[in-house]
Amino acid sequence: MIRYLIKNNLKLMFRSPANLFLYILCPLVILSVLSNAFSALMESYQKQGPFQVGYRITEKSFFSAGMETFKAVAKEADVIFEEYADGEPKTLMESHDLKGFVEFGDDTYVVWTREDAKAEGMTLEYLLNAYVEEADRIKLQIISAMATGQAGMPSEVTDEGKDGEIALDVERPKFMRAIDSKDYYGIVEIVYFGWCALICAAGILGNEKKYGIRKKYQVAGMSQLQVYLGRLLPMFVMVAVCEFIAALIAQTMLEVHWGEHLVQSAAVMLFMVLAASAFELMIYALTDSMVLSVIISFAVVWTWGFFGGTFETYMFSSLPATLKAISPIYHGNRALTELSCMGHSDYVWRSLLISGGMTVVCSGLALVFGAARKRG
Amino acid sequence: MEVMLRTKDLTKKYDNRVVVDNLNLEIQRGEVFGLLGPNGAGKSTTMNMICDIVKPTLGSVEFMGKDFRKHRKELVRKLGYIPQDLAIHGNLKAWENVELFTSLYGIKGAQLKAAVEESLEYVGLSERRGDYAKSFSGGMKRRLNIACAIGHHPELLIFDEPTVGIDPQSRNFILSKIKESNQNGATIIYTSHYMEEVEAICTRIAIMDNGKIIACGTSQELKKLVTKDAEDISLEEVFLTLTGKKLRDY
């Protein structure tokens, strides 16, 4: 029975021109406006010249093995590393006009950046991330090789002889292509409007309540779960299809670059749409008022968007990292923009887990609220 | 005669207000049972409890000899509910509305298609099957509302004021269809504020006030409660005599 409910709810959603306007046209218009408005800022980030960074490294540092390779590769990316054995990082940065400073410890590192050189700081962070990722991969191979008595020693690891020290021949890390404003806003605005999923179901849910259609579902013996899925799945499909169309238009007509890992990007976006739908249906189940639900949902999603880089790019945002981290939109935005410009992102799994968790928790709560209301 | 529906001490309280008070009803198979009462008498709450939309505070509903709440899955396909509200989607076509609401009873595929056509034919909307419900007149929407509730061939049909706000032609059509359904074997529960309608189609009528049945019987029996000569009095006069003329502002 749920098949026909989903089918007909989908028809109702797709027959509303307002929905197509909201999920396809709105993000395209806003991305054009914002990408133009912020293009100068993003350009400064994109076209920074060579800059110097100081560093210090401990004798037993895990990073020392591949340091020379790393410095060479960094130089190719216009980041010049100079070693400073003594002195406070802050003082050194000021006295030598360094745009950043890295203290490599035995197994960790600390990055110092400057307020007036955020773009350089970001580049430095991405560079280090890529290096550490590669080094970690090789470290794991060494541990595994040692455990198997050197039998499966990876090709990157060579024994230099003398006192049995192992040297790392780190592969050149891939560096990010700096994201431009068009790509950034092209991605995040489509994501943001996907978070307004409740709007596409507002007419249906309003009618169900106003005209007693919910009573008919009850008389027919539909379970809470069936009614819930009859709402959630059409919302998900509707918003996902619209996002796909908007993304396609953005790519073909506005040349928004989504990167090469489209499956990962699609998964991040689809999970976010599911989470948004579940979250907003939970609000509706709690309030049983469409007006109130729209207001609450909009306020929450706007705040998440504000923290998560929907309006101001998260790279240049001065908001504390914890505020950014509580926004599910931030994790999704970061995953998608990094996939677009770097080809990989640590935030992909994080975003998928957050969205998946939200979907499960919010669905459970929506069913509990619905059941409580029925009992009342 | 077989009892189709029985309510036992059916009671509903909201906070401390008793809306339905120890209601004991018996409706026989094949009856057209009318339920009358002023606004706030408890008719809709009674209907909602019979359909298991509202949980009773006390008491139970027995449908075809079984506790309805306990045997819901088995019995639900035998019940059809036509709400007072026009419970249809304006942006769906007539056939899509009927398909949606008939499918809720587990009917699918070719059987569903046939049920949709049959229901639309029954209410005289076959020719407008492809039109959006929002383009229909009030009477057509009411007929569509009925079509949405009969596709699964229920044995008990509950009509909650099905003729509100429509023209005499549509009303006449709906009443004739209710009679026809009854002749085809369906048991009907019918509520309305139009006394002449109730008198015309119901075999038995109950008058409800303040959550209780204050009178029950054929229209002749009800008339005899207030006067010896039943020919001289209308059902409306009986109703006003029994329930009083005071306005019910709830």
Side-chain angles (χ1 to χ4, degrees):
Chain A
M1 64 172 94
I2 192 175
R3 177 161 63 102
Y4 293 97
L5 181 60
I6 292 169
K7 186 180 89 173
N8 283 297
N9 277 348
L10 263 177
K11 281 182 188 174
L12 285 166
M13 288 175 187
F14 277 105
R15 280 174 190 168
S16 165
N19 287 342
L20 303 177
F21 173 79
L22 180 74
Y23 298 110
I24 299 176
L25 206 61
C26 278
L28 295 176
V29 170
I30 294 194
L31 87 84
S32 306
V33 172
L34 288 180
S35 67
N36 279 328
F38 288 100
S39 61
L41 176 69
M42 302 289 272
E43 208 140 288
S44 69
Y45 167 51
Q46 204 178 5
K47 290 180 180 167
Q48 65 206 0
F51 62 92
Q52 281 201 327
V53 171
Y55 79 97
R56 180 177 302 142
I57 190 160
T58 57
E59 270 182 36
K60 291 177 184 174
S61 177
F62 162 73
F63 303 99
S64 60
M67 200 60 207
E68 288 312 311
T69 314
F70 172 64
K71 279 166 70 176
V73 176
K75 199 175 177 183
E76 279 177 29
D78 287 341
V79 185
I80 297 141
F81 273 80
E82 292 286 335
E83 189 167 4
Y84 294 88
D86 304 307
E88 278 292 305
K90 217 174 169 184
T91 322
L92 288 170
M93 280 163 73
E94 276 168 17
S95 57
H96 293 84
D97 194 27
L98 304 173
K99 304 291 183 191
F101 198 93
V102 188
E103 289 181 294
F104 292 101
D106 288 354
D107 208 25
T108 56
Y109 67 88
V110 178
V111 186
W112 296 74
T113 55
R114 281 165 59 154
E115 269 297 306
D116 60 349
K118 279 187 178 174
E120 287 85 352
M122 283 293 297
T123 306
L124 179 58
E125 270 190 47
Y126 279 122
L127 195 63
L128 286 161
N129 274 343
Y131 169 59
V132 170
E133 210 171 80
E134 185 66 13
D136 272 347
R137 190 178 67 78
I138 292 168
K139 189 179 178 183
L140 278 174
Q141 284 179 312
I142 295 167
I143 292 165
S144 138
M146 283 174 165
T148 54
Q150 308 264 328
M153 191 67 96
S155 58
E156 292 95 332
V157 181
T158 54
D159 189 343
E160 291 202 329
K162 256 188 174 179
D163 13 57
E165 252 181 42
I166 292 168
L168 292 179
D169 179 15
V170 179
E171 278 179 9
R172 294 194 166 188
K174 289 174 186 167
F175 295 103
M176 65 174 282
R177 181 180 70 85
I179 194 159
D180 66 21
S181 62
K182 186 172 66 226
D183 289 350
Y184 183 87
Y185 285 107
I187 292 167
V188 303
E189 293 312 320
I190 291 172
V191 166
Y192 180 70
F193 279 90
W195 275 88
C196 305
L198 186 64
I199 304 294
C200 74
I204 298 170
L205 296 173
N207 268 2
E208 281 181 1
K209 187 181 176 189
K210 188 176 175 187
Y211 298 116
I213 292 170
R214 292 202 297 208
K215 282 186 186 176
K216 280 191 167 179
Y217 295 157
Q218 280 180 263
V219 173
M222 290 193 79
S223 67
Q224 287 281 325
L225 182 65
Q226 285 174 321
V227 175
Y228 177 75
L229 291 176
R231 292 166 178 171
L232 178 77
L233 297 178
M235 278 169 80
F236 168 69
V237 173
M238 165 81 199
V239 179
V241 168
C242 287
E243 275 197 349
F244 174 75
I245 294 168
L248 204 64
I249 295 173
Q251 174 143 12
T252 53
M253 295 174 73
L254 304 170
E255 294 175 348
V256 171
H257 180 255
W258 288 84
E260 285 153 16
H261 299 274
L262 292 177
V263 175
Q264 285 184 45
S265 298
V268 169
M269 289 180 78
L270 292 178
F271 266 65
M272 274 199 286
V273 173
L274 203 54
S277 307
F279 171 73
E280 284 155 26
L281 279 178
M282 180 200 70
I283 301 282
Y284 182 65
L286 178 66
T287 62
D288 198 32
S289 157
M290 185 45 67
V291 176
L292 209 54
S293 302
V294 169
I295 292 170
I296 294 171
S297 301
F298 178 79
V300 173
V301 169
W302 189 89
T303 308
W304 282 345
F306 182 74
F307 293 158
T310 299
F311 313 111
E312 184 189 13
T313 53
Y314 62 77
M315 294 89 89
F316 296 119
S317 166
S318 55
L319 289 164
T322 42
L323 280 185
K324 291 181 188 173
I326 60 164
S327 161
I329 296 180
Y330 167 72
H331 300 279
N333 280 348
R334 185 142 184 191
L336 291 167
T337 48
E338 287 185 356
L339 282 173
S340 161
C341 65
M342 290 166 65
H344 68 90
S345 171
D346 293 342
Y347 281 78
V348 171
W349 280 109
R350 202 177 298 187
S351 174
L352 291 177
L353 280 173
I354 290 170
S355 300
M358 267 186 80
T359 306
V360 172
V361 172
C362 292
S363 297
L365 286 174
L367 292 173
V368 169
F369 295 147
R373 194 172 298 286
K374 195 185 170 192
R375 273 200 301 275
Chain B
M1 232 180 164
E2 185 194 345
V3 176
M4 189 72 168
L5 187 96
R6 179 183 284 127
T7 65
K8 284 183 185 169
D9 304 324
L10 202 61
T11 304
K12 184 67 191 177
K13 288 181 187 173
Y14 288 110
D15 298 323
N16 286 324
R17 196 164 62 92
V18 181
V19 180
V20 177
D21 191 1
N22 273 307
L23 194 75
N24 289 291
L25 269 180
E26 263 192 19
I27 296 164
Q28 311 294 325
R29 181 181 281 276
E31 261 195 304
V32 181
F33 187 84
L35 192 58
L36 294 179
N39 290 334
K43 301 186 300 293
S44 293
T45 309
T46 303
M47 296 289 194
N48 288 341
M49 285 193 287
I50 288 172
C51 296
D52 197 24
I53 296 167
V54 170
K55 193 180 170 187
T57 311
L58 280 173
S60 63
V61 175
E62 214 175 79
F63 181 33
M64 297 176 85
K66 292 175 181 169
D67 188 306
F68 187 50
R69 289 179 73 86
K70 287 180 187 160
H71 297 85
R72 208 174 197 297
K73 276 194 175 170
E74 178 193 338
L75 296 172
V76 78
R77 277 185 71 167
K78 299 180 192 301
L79 177 70
Y81 172 62
I82 296 99
Q84 184 184 343
D85 297 313
L86 290 166
I88 50 177
H89 284 294
N91 273 335
L92 286 183
K93 293 170 183 173
W95 74 267
E96 290 169 338
N97 268 296
V98 180
E99 180 197 66
L100 169 63
F101 293 112
T102 306
S103 73
L104 300 180
Y105 293 89
I107 298 168
K108 54 190 172 185
Q111 202 189 349
L112 179 61
K113 262 189 177 175
V116 169
E117 298 311 323
E118 192 188 345
S119 303
L120 287 170
E121 178 74 40
Y122 191 74
V123 298
L125 286 174
S126 283
E127 285 178 15
R128 302 289 300 272
R129 64 187 299 286
D131 291 353
Y132 286 105
K134 65 183 174 189
S135 68
F136 285 2
S137 67
M140 288 165 78
K141 283 178 182 166
R142 287 269 162 213
R143 278 147 58 198
L144 182 58
N145 204 23
I146 293 171
C148 291
I150 58 171
H152 59 291
H153 298 117
E155 292 181 39
L156 175 66
L157 272 166
I158 298 179
F159 288 88
D160 192 1
E161 302 192 32
T163 55
V164 172
I166 56 172
D167 61 25
Q169 285 81 3
S170 296
R171 179 179 300 163
N172 182 56
F173 181 87
I174 289 172
L175 293 178
S176 70
K177 284 296 168 183
I178 292 172
K179 276 186 191 167
E180 196 180 315
S181 298
N182 179 243
Q183 281 157 12
N184 292 337
T187 305
I188 312 282
I189 302 179
Y190 189 88
T191 75
S192 175
H193 285 296
Y194 300 110
M195 303 294 161
E196 70 281 11
E197 276 181 13
V198 176
E199 198 169 6
I201 66 165
C202 294
T203 48
R204 218 153 52 96
I205 301 158
I207 296 177
M208 204 174 171
D209 200 14
N210 296 318
K212 289 181 176 173
I213 299 286
I214 55 170
C216 186
T218 62
S219 66
Q220 290 301 310
E221 285 167 348
L222 292 179
K223 286 174 182 176
K224 280 178 184 167
L225 288 175
V226 295
T227 176
K228 283 183 182 173
D229 193 356
E231 298 301 318
D232 289 348
I233 193 166
S234 67
L235 188 61
E236 188 161 337
E237 284 172 297
V238 175
F239 180 83
L240 287 171
T241 308
L242 293 172
T243 59
K245 290 184 179 173
K246 194 182 165 197
L247 287 172
R248 306 302 177 95
D249 296 329
Y250 289 95

